[in-house]
Amino acid sequence: MNCPVCGGNSVGKVGLEQFYCWECFLEYQRHGDIVKIFSVAEDGSLVDFQPVG
Ligand SMILES: [Zn+2]
C-alpha cells in the first residue's frame, strides 16, 4: 500500500495489517477500509497521530 499521509511507497510491512512509512516515520494499522495512523514514541509505543489541518 502507499502511505496515506505522504502518498509515497516507502512503506514497509511490520506486522499483520501493520505498515510503517520511512518517509513520515508513522505506523498504520489497516482495519478493513479504515486506516489508523500512529506515531512511534521513543520507547517504541504507538501514539495516536492527529493530522494537522
Ligand atoms: Zn508517508
Side-chain angles (χ1 to χ4, degrees):
M1 71 184 267
N2 282 25
C3 173
V5 176
C6 71
N9 60 3
S10 300
V11 177
K13 192 168 188 179
V14 295
L16 186 67
E17 301 299 310
Q18 282 183 264
F19 305 88
Y20 184 82
C21 177
W22 297 96
E23 301 283 345
C24 305
F25 305 107
L26 293 174
E27 185 166 320
Y28 316 98
Q29 294 180 359
R30 192 167 60 189
H31 303 273
D33 290 340
I34 299 169
V35 177
K36 297 184 75 172
I37 305 172
F38 301 89
S39 57
V40 182
E42 287 183 13
D43 65 358
S45 62
L46 299 179
V47 182
D48 272 333
F49 175 71
Q50 302 294 333
V52 177

